[in-house]
Coordinates of all heavy atoms in Angstrom, one line a residue:
M9 N 0.8 -1.2 0.0 CA 0.0 0.0 0.0 C 0.9 1.2 0.0 O 1.8 1.4 0.8 CB -0.9 0.0 1.2 CG -1.9 1.1 1.3 SD -3.0 0.8 2.7 CE -4.1 2.1 2.5
T10 N 0.6 2.2 -0.9 CA 1.4 3.4 -1.0 C 1.0 4.4 0.1 O -0.2 4.5 0.4 CB 1.3 4.0 -2.4 OG1 -0.1 4.4 -2.6 CG2 1.8 3.1 -3.5
P11 N 2.0 5.1 0.6 CA 1.6 6.1 1.7 C 0.8 7.2 1.1 O 1.0 7.6 -0.1 CB 3.0 6.6 2.2 CG 4.0 6.1 1.2 CD 3.4 5.0 0.4
R12 N 0.0 7.8 1.9 CA -0.9 8.9 1.4 C -0.1 10.2 1.5 O 0.9 10.3 2.2 CB -2.1 9.0 2.3 CG -3.0 7.8 2.2 CD -4.2 8.0 3.1 NE -5.2 7.2 2.5 CZ -6.5 7.7 2.3 NH1 -6.8 8.9 2.7 NH2 -7.4 6.9 1.8
I13 N -0.6 11.2 0.7 CA 0.0 12.5 0.7 C -0.4 13.2 2.0 O -1.5 13.1 2.5 CB -0.5 13.3 -0.5 CG1 -0.1 12.7 -1.8 CG2 -0.1 14.8 -0.4 CD1 -0.7 13.3 -3.0
L14 N 0.6 13.9 2.6 CA 0.3 14.6 3.9 C -0.6 15.8 3.6 O -0.4 16.5 2.6 CB 1.6 15.2 4.5 CG 2.6 14.1 5.0 CD1 3.9 14.8 5.4 CD2 2.0 13.4 6.2
R15 N -1.6 16.1 4.4 CA -2.5 17.2 4.2 C -1.8 18.4 4.7 O -1.3 18.4 5.8 CB -3.8 17.0 5.0 CG -4.7 15.8 4.5 CD -5.2 16.0 3.1 NE -5.9 17.2 2.8 CZ -7.2 17.3 2.8 NH1 -8.0 16.3 3.0 NH2 -7.7 18.5 2.5
M16 N -1.8 19.5 3.9 CA -1.1 20.7 4.3 C -1.8 22.0 3.9 O -2.6 22.0 3.0 CB 0.3 20.8 3.6 CG 1.3 19.7 3.9 SD 2.8 20.0 3.0 CE 3.3 18.3 2.9
T17 N -1.5 23.1 4.6 CA -2.0 24.4 4.2 C -1.0 25.0 3.2 O 0.1 24.5 3.1 CB -2.1 25.3 5.4 OG1 -0.9 25.5 6.0 CG2 -3.1 24.7 6.5
A18 N -1.4 26.1 2.6 CA -0.5 26.8 1.7 C 0.7 27.3 2.4 O 1.8 27.2 1.8 CB -1.2 28.0 1.1
R19 N 0.6 27.7 3.6 CA 1.8 28.2 4.4 C 2.8 27.0 4.6 O 4.0 27.2 4.5 CB 1.4 28.7 5.8 CG 0.5 29.9 5.7 CD 1.2 31.1 5.3 NE 0.2 32.2 5.3 CZ 0.5 33.4 4.9 NH1 1.7 33.7 4.6 NH2 -0.4 34.4 4.9
E20 N 2.4 25.8 4.9 CA 3.2 24.7 5.0 C 3.9 24.3 3.7 O 5.1 24.0 3.7 CB 2.5 23.5 5.6 CG 2.0 23.7 7.0 CD 1.0 22.7 7.4 OE1 0.2 22.2 6.6 OE2 0.9 22.3 8.6
V21 N 3.2 24.4 2.6 CA 3.7 24.1 1.3 C 4.8 25.2 1.0 O 5.9 24.8 0.5 CB 2.6 24.1 0.2 CG1 3.2 24.1 -1.2 CG2 1.7 23.0 0.4
E22 N 4.5 26.4 1.3 CA 5.5 27.5 1.0 C 6.8 27.4 1.8 O 7.8 27.7 1.3 CB 4.8 28.9 1.2 CG 3.7 29.1 0.1 CD 2.9 30.4 0.4 OE1 3.0 30.9 1.6 OE2 2.1 30.7 -0.5
S23 N 6.7 26.9 3.0 CA 7.9 26.7 3.8 C 8.8 25.6 3.2 O 10.0 25.7 3.2 CB 7.6 26.4 5.2 OG 7.0 25.1 5.4
I24 N 8.2 24.6 2.6 CA 8.9 23.5 1.9 C 9.5 24.1 0.6 O 10.7 23.9 0.3 CB 8.0 22.3 1.6 CG1 7.6 21.6 2.9 CG2 8.8 21.3 0.6 CD1 6.6 20.5 2.7
L25 N 8.8 24.9 -0.1 CA 9.3 25.5 -1.3 C 10.5 26.4 -1.0 O 11.5 26.4 -1.7 CB 8.2 26.3 -2.0 CG 7.1 25.5 -2.7 CD1 6.0 26.4 -3.2 CD2 7.6 24.6 -3.8
K26 N 10.5 27.1 0.1 CA 11.6 28.0 0.5 C 12.8 27.2 0.7 O 13.9 27.6 0.4 CB 11.2 28.8 1.7 CG 10.2 29.9 1.4 CD 9.9 30.6 2.7 CE 8.8 31.6 2.5 NZ 8.4 32.3 3.8
R27 N 12.7 26.0 1.3 CA 13.9 25.2 1.6 C 14.5 24.7 0.3 O 15.7 24.4 0.3 CB 13.5 23.9 2.4 CG 13.3 24.3 3.9 CD 13.1 23.0 4.7 NE 11.9 22.3 4.2 CZ 11.2 21.5 4.9 NH1 11.5 21.3 6.2 NH2 10.1 20.9 4.5
Y28 N 13.8 24.6 -0.8 CA 14.3 24.2 -2.1 C 14.6 25.4 -3.0 O 14.5 25.3 -4.2 CB 13.4 23.2 -2.7 CG 13.5 21.9 -2.0 CD1 12.6 21.6 -0.9 CD2 14.4 20.9 -2.4 CE1 12.8 20.4 -0.2 CE2 14.5 19.7 -1.7 CZ 13.7 19.4 -0.7 OH 13.8 18.2 0.0
N29 N 14.9 26.6 -2.4 CA 15.3 27.8 -3.1 C 14.2 28.4 -4.0 O 14.6 29.0 -5.0 CB 16.6 27.5 -3.9 CG 17.7 27.1 -3.0 OD1 17.9 27.7 -2.0 ND2 18.3 26.0 -3.4
F30 N 12.9 28.2 -3.7 CA 11.9 28.9 -4.4 C 11.7 30.2 -3.8 O 11.8 30.4 -2.6 CB 10.6 28.1 -4.4 CG 10.6 27.0 -5.4 CD1 11.2 25.8 -5.2 CD2 9.9 27.1 -6.6 CE1 11.2 24.7 -6.1 CE2 9.9 26.1 -7.6 CZ 10.5 24.9 -7.3
E31 N 11.4 31.2 -4.6 CA 11.1 32.6 -4.1 C 9.8 33.1 -4.6 O 9.4 32.8 -5.8 CB 12.2 33.5 -4.6 CG 13.6 33.2 -4.1 CD 14.7 34.1 -4.7 OE1 14.4 34.9 -5.6 OE2 15.8 34.0 -4.2
L32 N 9.1 33.8 -3.8 CA 7.8 34.4 -4.2 C 8.1 35.5 -5.2 O 8.8 36.4 -5.0 CB 7.1 35.0 -3.0 CG 5.7 35.6 -3.2 CD1 4.7 34.6 -3.8 CD2 5.2 36.3 -2.0
V33 N 7.5 35.4 -6.4 CA 7.8 36.4 -7.5 C 6.6 37.3 -7.8 O 6.7 38.4 -8.2 CB 8.3 35.7 -8.8 CG1 9.7 35.2 -8.6 CG2 7.3 34.7 -9.3
S34 N 5.3 36.8 -7.5 CA 4.2 37.6 -7.7 C 2.9 37.0 -7.1 O 3.0 35.8 -6.7 CB 3.9 37.8 -9.2 OG 3.5 36.6 -9.8
Q35 N 1.9 37.8 -7.0 CA 0.7 37.3 -6.4 C -0.5 38.0 -7.1 O -0.4 39.2 -7.4 CB 0.6 37.6 -4.9 CG -0.7 37.1 -4.3 CD -0.7 37.3 -2.8 OE1 0.3 37.5 -2.2 NE2 -1.9 37.2 -2.2
R36 N -1.5 37.2 -7.5 CA -2.7 37.7 -8.1 C -3.9 37.2 -7.3 O -4.1 36.0 -7.4 CB -2.8 37.4 -9.6 CG -3.9 38.0 -10.2 CD -3.8 37.9 -11.7 NE -5.0 38.6 -12.3 CZ -5.1 38.8 -13.5 NH1 -4.2 38.4 -14.4 NH2 -6.2 39.5 -14.0
G37 N -4.5 38.0 -6.6 CA -5.6 37.5 -5.7 C -5.1 36.6 -4.6 O -4.2 37.0 -3.9
S38 N -5.6 35.4 -4.6 CA -5.2 34.5 -3.6 C -4.2 33.4 -4.1 O -3.9 32.4 -3.4 CB -6.4 33.8 -3.0 OG -7.1 33.0 -4.0
H39 N -3.7 33.7 -5.3 CA -2.7 32.7 -5.9 C -1.3 33.3 -5.9 O -1.1 34.4 -6.5 CB -3.2 32.3 -7.3 CG -4.4 31.5 -7.2 ND1 -5.7 32.0 -7.0 CD2 -4.6 30.1 -7.4 CE1 -6.5 31.0 -7.0 NE2 -5.9 29.9 -7.2
R40 N -0.4 32.6 -5.4 CA 1.0 33.1 -5.3 C 1.9 32.3 -6.3 O 1.8 31.1 -6.3 CB 1.6 32.9 -3.9 CG 0.8 33.8 -2.9 CD 1.3 33.6 -1.5 NE 0.6 34.4 -0.6 CZ 0.5 34.2 0.7 NH1 1.1 33.2 1.2 NH2 -0.1 35.0 1.5
K41 N 2.7 33.0 -7.0 CA 3.6 32.4 -8.0 C 5.0 32.3 -7.3 O 5.6 33.3 -6.9 CB 3.7 33.2 -9.2 CG 4.6 32.5 -10.3 CD 4.8 33.4 -11.5 CE 3.5 33.5 -12.3 NZ 3.8 34.3 -13.6
W42 N 5.6 31.0 -7.3 CA 6.9 30.7 -6.7 C 7.8 30.3 -7.8 O 7.4 29.4 -8.6 CB 6.7 29.7 -5.6 CG 6.0 30.2 -4.4 CD1 4.7 30.3 -4.2 CD2 6.6 30.7 -3.2 NE1 4.4 30.8 -3.0 CE2 5.6 31.0 -2.3 CE3 8.0 30.8 -2.8 CZ2 5.8 31.6 -1.1 CZ3 8.2 31.3 -1.5 CH2 7.2 31.7 -0.7
K43 N 9.0 30.8 -7.8 CA 10.0 30.4 -8.9 C 11.3 30.0 -8.3 O 11.8 30.7 -7.3 CB 10.2 31.5 -9.8 CG 11.1 31.2 -11.0 CD 11.2 32.3 -12.0 CE 12.1 31.9 -13.1 NZ 12.2 33.0 -14.1
N44 N 11.9 29.0 -8.8 CA 13.3 28.6 -8.5 C 14.2 29.2 -9.5 O 14.1 28.7 -10.7 CB 13.4 27.1 -8.4 CG 14.7 26.6 -7.9 OD1 15.8 27.1 -8.4 ND2 14.7 25.6 -7.0
S45 N 15.0 30.1 -9.1 CA 15.9 30.8 -10.1 C 16.9 29.9 -10.7 O 17.4 30.1 -11.8 CB 16.5 32.1 -9.5 OG 17.2 31.7 -8.4
R46 N 17.3 28.9 -10.0 CA 18.4 27.9 -10.5 C 17.8 27.0 -11.6 O 18.5 26.9 -12.6 CB 18.9 27.1 -9.4 CG 19.7 27.9 -8.3 CD 20.2 27.0 -7.2 NE 20.7 27.8 -6.2 CZ 21.0 27.3 -5.0 NH1 20.7 26.1 -4.7 NH2 21.5 28.1 -4.0
S47 N 16.7 26.5 -11.3 CA 16.1 25.5 -12.3 C 15.1 26.1 -13.3 O 14.8 25.5 -14.3 CB 15.5 24.3 -11.6 OG 14.4 24.8 -10.8
G48 N 14.6 27.3 -12.9 CA 13.6 27.9 -13.7 C 12.2 27.4 -13.5 O 11.2 27.8 -14.2
L49 N 12.0 26.5 -12.6 CA 10.7 25.9 -12.3 C 9.8 26.9 -11.6 O 10.2 27.7 -10.8 CB 10.8 24.7 -11.4 CG 11.6 23.5 -11.9 CD1 11.8 22.5 -10.9 CD2 10.9 22.9 -13.1
V50 N 8.5 26.9 -12.0 CA 7.5 27.8 -11.5 C 6.3 27.0 -11.0 O 5.8 26.1 -11.7 CB 7.1 28.9 -12.6 CG1 6.0 29.8 -12.0 CG2 8.2 29.7 -13.0
V51 N 5.8 27.3 -9.8 CA 4.5 26.7 -9.3 C 3.6 27.8 -8.8 O 4.1 28.8 -8.3 CB 4.8 25.6 -8.3 CG1 5.5 24.4 -8.9 CG2 5.6 26.2 -7.1
I52 N 2.3 27.5 -8.8 CA 1.3 28.4 -8.3 C 0.7 27.8 -7.0 O 0.3 26.6 -7.1 CB 0.2 28.7 -9.3 CG1 0.8 29.2 -10.6 CG2 -0.8 29.6 -8.7 CD1 1.4 30.5 -10.6
V53 N 0.7 28.5 -5.9 CA 0.1 28.0 -4.7 C -1.1 28.8 -4.3 O -1.0 30.0 -4.0 CB 1.2 28.0 -3.5 CG1 0.6 27.5 -2.2 CG2 2.4 27.2 -3.9
P54 N -2.3 28.2 -4.2 CA -3.5 29.0 -3.8 C -3.5 29.1 -2.3 O -3.2 28.2 -1.6 CB -4.6 28.1 -4.3 CG -4.1 26.7 -4.4 CD -2.6 26.9 -4.7
E55 N -3.9 30.3 -1.8 CA -4.0 30.6 -0.4 C -5.4 30.9 -0.1 O -5.9 31.9 -0.5 CB -3.1 31.7 0.0 CG -3.3 32.3 1.4 CD -2.9 31.3 2.5 OE1 -1.8 30.7 2.4 OE2 -3.8 31.1 3.4
H56 N -6.1 30.0 0.7 CA -7.5 30.2 0.9 C -7.8 30.1 2.5 O -8.2 29.1 3.0 CB -8.4 29.1 0.2 CG -8.3 29.3 -1.3 ND1 -8.8 30.3 -2.0 CD2 -7.7 28.5 -2.2 CE1 -8.6 30.2 -3.3 NE2 -7.9 29.1 -3.4
Q57 N -7.4 31.2 3.1 CA -7.7 31.4 4.6 C -7.3 30.2 5.5 O -8.1 29.8 6.3 CB -9.2 31.7 4.8 CG -9.6 33.0 4.0 CD -11.1 33.2 4.2 OE1 -11.8 32.4 4.6 NE2 -11.5 34.4 3.7
G58 N -6.1 29.7 5.3 CA -5.6 28.6 6.2 C -6.2 27.2 6.0 O -5.9 26.3 6.7
R59 N -7.1 27.1 5.0 CA -7.7 25.7 4.7 C -6.6 24.8 4.1 O -5.7 25.3 3.4 CB -8.9 25.8 3.8 CG -10.1 26.4 4.4 CD -11.3 26.4 3.6 NE -11.1 27.4 2.5 CZ -12.0 27.6 1.5 NH1 -13.0 26.8 1.4 NH2 -11.8 28.5 0.7
R60 N -6.8 23.6 4.3 CA -5.8 22.6 3.7 C -6.1 22.5 2.2 O -7.3 22.5 1.8 CB -6.0 21.3 4.4 CG -5.5 21.3 5.8 CD -5.5 19.9 6.4 NE -4.9 20.0 7.7 CZ -5.1 19.2 8.7 NH1 -6.0 18.2 8.5 NH2 -4.5 19.3 9.8
L61 N -5.1 22.3 1.4 CA -5.2 22.2 0.0 C -5.7 20.8 -0.4 O -5.4 19.9 0.3 CB -3.8 22.5 -0.7 CG -3.3 23.9 -0.4 CD1 -1.9 24.0 -1.0 CD2 -4.2 25.0 -1.0
P62 N -6.4 20.8 -1.5 CA -6.8 19.5 -2.0 C -5.6 18.6 -2.3 O -4.6 19.1 -2.7 CB -7.6 19.8 -3.3 CG -8.1 21.2 -3.1 CD -7.0 21.9 -2.3
L63 N -5.8 17.3 -2.2 CA -4.6 16.4 -2.4 C -4.1 16.4 -3.8 O -2.9 16.4 -4.0 CB -5.1 14.9 -2.1 CG -5.4 14.7 -0.6 CD1 -5.9 13.2 -0.4 CD2 -4.3 15.0 0.3
G64 N -4.9 16.6 -4.8 CA -4.5 16.7 -6.2 C -3.7 17.9 -6.4 O -2.7 17.9 -7.2
T65 N -4.1 19.0 -5.8 CA -3.4 20.3 -5.9 C -2.0 20.1 -5.3 O -1.0 20.6 -5.8 CB -4.2 21.4 -5.3 OG1 -5.5 21.5 -5.9 CG2 -3.5 22.7 -5.4
L66 N -1.9 19.5 -4.1 CA -0.7 19.3 -3.4 C 0.3 18.5 -4.3 O 1.5 18.9 -4.4 CB -0.9 18.6 -2.1 CG -1.4 19.5 -0.9 CD1 -1.8 18.6 0.2 CD2 -0.4 20.5 -0.5
R67 N -0.2 17.4 -4.8 CA 0.6 16.5 -5.6 C 1.1 17.3 -6.8 O 2.3 17.2 -7.1 CB -0.2 15.3 -6.0 CG 0.7 14.3 -6.7 CD -0.1 13.1 -7.2 NE 0.7 12.2 -7.9 CZ 1.2 12.3 -9.1 NH1 1.0 13.4 -9.8 NH2 2.0 11.4 -9.7
N68 N 0.3 18.0 -7.5 CA 0.7 18.7 -8.6 C 1.8 19.8 -8.3 O 2.7 19.9 -9.1 CB -0.6 19.4 -9.2 CG -0.3 20.1 -10.6 OD1 0.6 19.7 -11.3 ND2 -1.1 21.0 -10.9
I69 N 1.6 20.5 -7.2 CA 2.6 21.5 -6.8 C 4.0 20.8 -6.6 O 5.0 21.2 -7.2 CB 2.2 22.2 -5.6 CG1 1.0 23.1 -5.9 CG2 3.4 23.0 -5.0 CD1 0.3 23.7 -4.6
F70 N 4.0 19.7 -5.8 CA 5.3 19.1 -5.5 C 5.9 18.4 -6.7 O 7.1 18.4 -6.8 CB 5.1 18.1 -4.3 CG 4.8 18.9 -3.0 CD1 3.8 18.5 -2.2 CD2 5.6 19.9 -2.6 CE1 3.6 19.1 -1.0 CE2 5.4 20.6 -1.4 CZ 4.4 20.2 -0.6
V71 N 5.1 17.7 -7.5 CA 5.7 17.1 -8.7 C 6.3 18.1 -9.7 O 7.4 17.9 -10.2 CB 4.6 16.2 -9.4 CG1 5.1 15.7 -10.8 CG2 4.3 15.0 -8.5
N72 N 5.5 19.2 -9.9 CA 6.0 20.2 -10.8 C 7.2 21.0 -10.3 O 8.1 21.4 -11.0 CB 4.9 21.2 -11.2 CG 3.9 20.6 -12.1 OD1 4.1 19.7 -12.8 ND2 2.6 21.1 -12.0
A73 N 7.3 21.1 -9.0 CA 8.5 21.7 -8.3 C 9.7 20.8 -8.1 O 10.7 21.2 -7.7 CB 8.1 22.3 -7.0
E74 N 9.5 19.5 -8.5 CA 10.5 18.5 -8.3 C 11.0 18.3 -6.9 O 12.2 18.2 -6.6 CB 11.6 18.7 -9.3 CG 11.2 18.6 -10.8 CD 12.3 18.9 -11.8 OE1 13.5 19.2 -11.4 OE2 12.0 18.8 -13.0
I75 N 10.0 18.4 -6.0 CA 10.3 18.2 -4.5 C 10.3 16.7 -4.3 O 9.4 16.0 -4.7 CB 9.3 18.9 -3.6 CG1 9.1 20.4 -4.0 CG2 9.5 18.7 -2.2 CD1 10.3 21.2 -3.7
P76 N 11.4 16.2 -3.6 CA 11.4 14.7 -3.3 C 10.2 14.3 -2.5 O 9.6 15.0 -1.7 CB 12.7 14.6 -2.4 CG 13.5 15.8 -2.6 CD 12.5 16.9 -3.0
V77 N 9.8 13.0 -2.9 CA 8.6 12.4 -2.3 C 8.6 12.4 -0.8 O 7.6 12.5 -0.1 CB 8.3 11.0 -2.9 CG1 7.1 10.3 -2.3 CG2 8.1 11.2 -4.4
N78 N 9.8 12.2 -0.2 CA 9.8 12.0 1.3 C 9.4 13.3 2.0 O 9.1 13.3 3.2 CB 11.2 11.6 1.7 CG 12.3 12.6 1.4 OD1 12.1 13.5 0.6 ND2 13.4 12.4 2.1
E79 N 9.3 14.5 1.3 CA 8.9 15.7 1.9 C 7.4 15.8 2.0 O 6.9 16.5 2.9 CB 9.4 16.9 1.1 CG 10.8 17.2 1.1 CD 11.2 17.9 2.4 OE1 10.4 18.3 3.2 OE2 12.5 18.1 2.6
W80 N 6.7 15.1 1.1 CA 5.2 15.2 1.1 C 4.4 13.9 1.3 O 3.2 13.9 1.3 CB 4.7 16.0 -0.1 CG 5.3 15.6 -1.4 CD1 6.5 15.9 -1.9 CD2 4.7 14.8 -2.4 NE1 6.7 15.3 -3.1 CE2 5.6 14.6 -3.5 CE3 3.4 14.1 -2.5 CZ2 5.3 13.9 -4.6 CZ3 3.2 13.4 -3.6 CH2 4.1 13.3 -4.7
K81 N 5.1 12.8 1.5 CA 4.5 11.6 1.9 C 5.2 11.1 3.2 O 6.4 11.1 3.3 CB 4.6 10.5 0.8 CG 3.7 10.8 -0.4 CD 3.7 9.6 -1.3 CE 2.7 9.8 -2.5 NZ 2.7 8.7 -3.4
P82 N 4.4 10.5 4.1 CA 5.0 10.0 5.3 C 5.9 8.8 5.1 O 5.8 8.1 4.2 CB 3.8 9.7 6.2 CG 2.6 9.6 5.3 CD 2.9 10.3 4.0

């Protein structure tokens, strides 16, 4: 059985992105754009009043940011 994705808020996701050298480059409404200047990867993180992000959204952010699986799965 594969481990499930950890449920996280946007703030928790952003703290992981910061550890992997992503920087906030812009924001439009409740969506923040994060970019890694070394690799050129860009991801969008929605911020909705501290609510946990949907699992598909979390997976999409981490896969597109090339974050290792051990950061987002137990």
Side-chain angles (χ1 to χ4, degrees):
M9 184 174 184
T10 60
R12 295 178 155 232
I13 297 172
L14 295 173
R15 298 296 308 259
M16 296 183 210
T17 64
R19 300 283 181 185
E20 293 167 328
V21 170
E22 291 170 351
S23 70
I24 293 172
L25 291 174
K26 287 178 188 176
R27 284 190 296 209
Y28 287 90
N29 301 312
F30 279 81
E31 297 175 352
L32 181 63
V33 290
S34 68
Q35 179 172 345
R36 183 166 184 174
S38 62
H39 291 74
R40 296 178 179 158
K41 184 186 291 188
W42 290 82
K43 182 176 182 179
N44 185 314
S45 58
R46 293 179 189 164
S47 65
L49 297 171
V50 176
V51 293
I52 306 295
V53 179
E55 169 65 50
H56 296 291
Q57 299 175 352
R59 287 187 284 177
R60 292 185 173 156
L61 297 175
L63 296 178
T65 303
L66 284 170
R67 184 183 182 288
N68 188 22
I69 291 168
F70 290 131
V71 168
N72 289 334
E74 298 179 357
I75 304 294
V77 175
N78 65 340
E79 289 282 354
W80 47 281
K81 284 190 177 180

